[in-house]
Amino acid sequence: MKWALVAGAMMVPGAAEAADVTFTVHDVTLTATIPAGYCVPVNKDKLIADTLATGDKENITLATLIRCNKAGRAEGPGNDYMLIKTPQNALATRIPRAELLTALGAEFGKAEWQSGATGKAATADAAKGLSDAFSTPVDIQGNIAPRGTDGDCAYLGGTLNVNGGGVSYPIILGGCITSAANKVVAVYTYDDPGRGGGVAGKMRAARNVAMSIKAAP
């Protein structure tokens, strides 16, 4: 969540600018296009990103992208960042996009999702994972809800309020879950409320990155 939870007085230069980021899901190497203005974190920003990733027990974080012009700040690079993930339990899975999205559409239609119970359970798990990763109590309130499916993505979005490490703040999230080269991947984009086109804008941003993911040459 907020990088300032652990950034403290860290001051480091720059971040790695690149056109693409490469990662491997089990036995398939994939690439994603890095959006303009975003960079792969380096130095202390990377250490923070790696610690953040350990807080997610259900997924593997394949890549983290931060704003290039906010890299290396004492307070961290802020809430405008992106995470590319894959579920731990789907590492070896191969599934075409259409088949995955049909299954996710059915899953999103279940009462547990529609009532908000699944989203609340996910935020509770996230809070516990972050508390463990940062060795400080983190509380997350709010809900991430299904926002429908189309031919590209199954979408998630919502607003959360995060409290931890003496910091309290709201954050918005827009996500796209899809299949690329028959591997399950998810892109989650974050920002401050009212920025980046709101939740709908962050879902579009997530979709754009997700649609750029392809098998590495």
PDB file of all heavy atoms in Angstrom, residues 103-119 146:
ATOM      1  N   ALA A 103     -15.230 -18.233 -16.987  1.00  0.00           N
ATOM      2  CA  ALA A 103     -15.219 -18.772 -15.620  1.00  0.00           C
ATOM      3  C   ALA A 103     -15.247 -17.654 -14.590  1.00  0.00           C
ATOM      4  O   ALA A 103     -15.956 -17.743 -13.577  1.00  0.00           O
ATOM      5  CB  ALA A 103     -13.983 -19.643 -15.427  1.00  0.00           C
ATOM      6  N   LEU A 104     -14.508 -16.587 -14.834  1.00  0.00           N
ATOM      7  CA  LEU A 104     -14.486 -15.477 -13.883  1.00  0.00           C
ATOM      8  C   LEU A 104     -15.821 -14.734 -13.862  1.00  0.00           C
ATOM      9  O   LEU A 104     -16.268 -14.270 -12.803  1.00  0.00           O
ATOM     10  CB  LEU A 104     -13.349 -14.512 -14.229  1.00  0.00           C
ATOM     11  CG  LEU A 104     -11.944 -15.034 -13.938  1.00  0.00           C
ATOM     12  CD1 LEU A 104     -10.895 -14.062 -14.457  1.00  0.00           C
ATOM     13  CD2 LEU A 104     -11.753 -15.268 -12.441  1.00  0.00           C
ATOM     14  N   GLY A 105     -16.466 -14.632 -15.018  1.00  0.00           N
ATOM     15  CA  GLY A 105     -17.779 -13.998 -15.045  1.00  0.00           C
ATOM     16  C   GLY A 105     -18.775 -14.762 -14.192  1.00  0.00           C
ATOM     17  O   GLY A 105     -19.568 -14.167 -13.455  1.00  0.00           O
ATOM     18  N   ALA A 106     -18.711 -16.088 -14.257  1.00  0.00           N
ATOM     19  CA  ALA A 106     -19.586 -16.914 -13.419  1.00  0.00           C
ATOM     20  C   ALA A 106     -19.223 -16.758 -11.951  1.00  0.00           C
ATOM     21  O   ALA A 106     -20.104 -16.673 -11.080  1.00  0.00           O
ATOM     22  CB  ALA A 106     -19.481 -18.379 -13.843  1.00  0.00           C
ATOM     23  N   GLU A 107     -17.927 -16.686 -11.648  1.00  0.00           N
ATOM     24  CA  GLU A 107     -17.480 -16.522 -10.259  1.00  0.00           C
ATOM     25  C   GLU A 107     -17.946 -15.182  -9.698  1.00  0.00           C
ATOM     26  O   GLU A 107     -18.439 -15.104  -8.569  1.00  0.00           O
ATOM     27  CB  GLU A 107     -15.953 -16.614 -10.205  1.00  0.00           C
ATOM     28  CG  GLU A 107     -15.356 -16.436  -8.825  1.00  0.00           C
ATOM     29  CD  GLU A 107     -15.694 -17.564  -7.870  1.00  0.00           C
ATOM     30  OE1 GLU A 107     -15.997 -18.676  -8.330  1.00  0.00           O
ATOM     31  OE2 GLU A 107     -15.668 -17.311  -6.646  1.00  0.00           O
ATOM     32  N   PHE A 108     -17.805 -14.127 -10.481  1.00  0.00           N
ATOM     33  CA  PHE A 108     -18.211 -12.793 -10.032  1.00  0.00           C
ATOM     34  C   PHE A 108     -19.717 -12.715  -9.785  1.00  0.00           C
ATOM     35  O   PHE A 108     -20.186 -11.875  -9.018  1.00  0.00           O
ATOM     36  CB  PHE A 108     -17.817 -11.741 -11.063  1.00  0.00           C
ATOM     37  CG  PHE A 108     -16.348 -11.376 -11.046  1.00  0.00           C
ATOM     38  CD1 PHE A 108     -15.844 -10.482 -11.975  1.00  0.00           C
ATOM     39  CD2 PHE A 108     -15.484 -11.925 -10.109  1.00  0.00           C
ATOM     40  CE1 PHE A 108     -14.500 -10.132 -11.974  1.00  0.00           C
ATOM     41  CE2 PHE A 108     -14.135 -11.584 -10.093  1.00  0.00           C
ATOM     42  CZ  PHE A 108     -13.646 -10.688 -11.031  1.00  0.00           C
ATOM     43  N   GLY A 109     -20.469 -13.581 -10.450  1.00  0.00           N
ATOM     44  CA  GLY A 109     -21.918 -13.559 -10.275  1.00  0.00           C
ATOM     45  C   GLY A 109     -22.404 -14.265  -9.027  1.00  0.00           C
ATOM     46  O   GLY A 109     -23.593 -14.176  -8.688  1.00  0.00           O
ATOM     47  N   LYS A 110     -21.513 -14.946  -8.325  1.00  0.00           N
ATOM     48  CA  LYS A 110     -21.916 -15.675  -7.128  1.00  0.00           C
ATOM     49  C   LYS A 110     -22.292 -14.725  -5.994  1.00  0.00           C
ATOM     50  O   LYS A 110     -21.810 -13.601  -5.915  1.00  0.00           O
ATOM     51  CB  LYS A 110     -20.787 -16.610  -6.676  1.00  0.00           C
ATOM     52  CG  LYS A 110     -20.539 -17.769  -7.621  1.00  0.00           C
ATOM     53  CD  LYS A 110     -19.423 -18.673  -7.111  1.00  0.00           C
ATOM     54  CE  LYS A 110     -19.194 -19.849  -8.040  1.00  0.00           C
ATOM     55  NZ  LYS A 110     -18.078 -20.716  -7.561  1.00  0.00           N
ATOM     56  N   ALA A 111     -23.146 -15.217  -5.112  1.00  0.00           N
ATOM     57  CA  ALA A 111     -23.655 -14.390  -4.016  1.00  0.00           C
ATOM     58  C   ALA A 111     -22.538 -13.829  -3.151  1.00  0.00           C
ATOM     59  O   ALA A 111     -22.618 -12.690  -2.677  1.00  0.00           O
ATOM     60  CB  ALA A 111     -24.618 -15.210  -3.157  1.00  0.00           C
ATOM     61  N   GLU A 112     -21.470 -14.604  -2.955  1.00  0.00           N
ATOM     62  CA  GLU A 112     -20.381 -14.152  -2.092  1.00  0.00           C
ATOM     63  C   GLU A 112     -19.710 -12.898  -2.646  1.00  0.00           C
ATOM     64  O   GLU A 112     -19.311 -12.003  -1.893  1.00  0.00           O
ATOM     65  CB  GLU A 112     -19.334 -15.257  -1.928  1.00  0.00           C
ATOM     66  CG  GLU A 112     -19.821 -16.472  -1.161  1.00  0.00           C
ATOM     67  CD  GLU A 112     -20.563 -17.473  -2.044  1.00  0.00           C
ATOM     68  OE1 GLU A 112     -20.819 -17.160  -3.232  1.00  0.00           O
ATOM     69  OE2 GLU A 112     -20.896 -18.553  -1.534  1.00  0.00           O
ATOM     70  N   TRP A 113     -19.583 -12.818  -3.971  1.00  0.00           N
ATOM     71  CA  TRP A 113     -19.026 -11.622  -4.584  1.00  0.00           C
ATOM     72  C   TRP A 113     -20.039 -10.490  -4.578  1.00  0.00           C
ATOM     73  O   TRP A 113     -19.703  -9.343  -4.242  1.00  0.00           O
ATOM     74  CB  TRP A 113     -18.598 -11.913  -6.022  1.00  0.00           C
ATOM     75  CG  TRP A 113     -17.209 -12.414  -6.172  1.00  0.00           C
ATOM     76  CD1 TRP A 113     -16.810 -13.679  -6.499  1.00  0.00           C
ATOM     77  CD2 TRP A 113     -16.000 -11.665  -5.994  1.00  0.00           C
ATOM     78  NE1 TRP A 113     -15.440 -13.764  -6.544  1.00  0.00           N
ATOM     79  CE2 TRP A 113     -14.916 -12.535  -6.241  1.00  0.00           C
ATOM     80  CE3 TRP A 113     -15.734 -10.330  -5.654  1.00  0.00           C
ATOM     81  CZ2 TRP A 113     -13.584 -12.124  -6.166  1.00  0.00           C
ATOM     82  CZ3 TRP A 113     -14.410  -9.916  -5.581  1.00  0.00           C
ATOM     83  CH2 TRP A 113     -13.359 -10.800  -5.824  1.00  0.00           C
ATOM     84  N   GLN A 114     -21.274 -10.804  -4.930  1.00  0.00           N
ATOM     85  CA  GLN A 114     -22.282  -9.759  -5.048  1.00  0.00           C
ATOM     86  C   GLN A 114     -22.612  -9.121  -3.698  1.00  0.00           C
ATOM     87  O   GLN A 114     -22.953  -7.937  -3.626  1.00  0.00           O
ATOM     88  CB  GLN A 114     -23.551 -10.327  -5.696  1.00  0.00           C
ATOM     89  CG  GLN A 114     -23.355 -10.768  -7.139  1.00  0.00           C
ATOM     90  CD  GLN A 114     -22.869  -9.646  -8.031  1.00  0.00           C
ATOM     91  OE1 GLN A 114     -23.434  -8.553  -8.030  1.00  0.00           O
ATOM     92  NE2 GLN A 114     -21.816  -9.896  -8.795  1.00  0.00           N
ATOM     93  N   SER A 115     -22.494  -9.892  -2.628  1.00  0.00           N
ATOM     94  CA  SER A 115     -22.772  -9.340  -1.297  1.00  0.00           C
ATOM     95  C   SER A 115     -21.596  -8.560  -0.735  1.00  0.00           C
ATOM     96  O   SER A 115     -21.726  -7.849   0.269  1.00  0.00           O
ATOM     97  CB  SER A 115     -23.110 -10.477  -0.336  1.00  0.00           C
ATOM     98  OG  SER A 115     -21.962 -11.281  -0.084  1.00  0.00           O
ATOM     99  N   GLY A 116     -20.439  -8.689  -1.358  1.00  0.00           N
ATOM    100  CA  GLY A 116     -19.236  -8.018  -0.854  1.00  0.00           C
ATOM    101  C   GLY A 116     -18.418  -8.862   0.089  1.00  0.00           C
ATOM    102  O   GLY A 116     -17.338  -8.445   0.521  1.00  0.00           O
ATOM    103  N   ALA A 117     -18.891 -10.069   0.415  1.00  0.00           N
ATOM    104  CA  ALA A 117     -18.190 -10.901   1.390  1.00  0.00           C
ATOM    105  C   ALA A 117     -16.801 -11.303   0.893  1.00  0.00           C
ATOM    106  O   ALA A 117     -15.826 -11.272   1.654  1.00  0.00           O
ATOM    107  CB  ALA A 117     -19.016 -12.145   1.705  1.00  0.00           C
ATOM    108  N   THR A 118     -16.691 -11.668  -0.381  1.00  0.00           N
ATOM    109  CA  THR A 118     -15.398 -12.091  -0.913  1.00  0.00           C
ATOM    110  C   THR A 118     -14.418 -10.936  -0.954  1.00  0.00           C
ATOM    111  O   THR A 118     -13.239 -11.079  -0.595  1.00  0.00           O
ATOM    112  CB  THR A 118     -15.558 -12.686  -2.323  1.00  0.00           C
ATOM    113  OG1 THR A 118     -16.443 -13.806  -2.257  1.00  0.00           O
ATOM    114  CG2 THR A 118     -14.226 -13.133  -2.883  1.00  0.00           C
ATOM    115  N   GLY A 119     -14.877  -9.759  -1.360  1.00  0.00           N
ATOM    116  CA  GLY A 119     -14.011  -8.586  -1.399  1.00  0.00           C
ATOM    117  C   GLY A 119     -13.519  -8.193  -0.022  1.00  0.00           C
ATOM    118  O   GLY A 119     -12.340  -7.848   0.164  1.00  0.00           O
ATOM    119  N   PRO A 146     -16.421  -6.693  -8.054  1.00  0.00           N
ATOM    120  CA  PRO A 146     -16.396  -6.981  -9.486  1.00  0.00           C
ATOM    121  C   PRO A 146     -17.008  -5.840 -10.271  1.00  0.00           C
ATOM    122  O   PRO A 146     -18.014  -5.255  -9.862  1.00  0.00           O
ATOM    123  CB  PRO A 146     -17.244  -8.240  -9.619  1.00  0.00           C
ATOM    124  CG  PRO A 146     -17.387  -8.803  -8.257  1.00  0.00           C
ATOM    125  CD  PRO A 146     -17.270  -7.652  -7.323  1.00  0.00           C
TER     126      PRO A 146
END
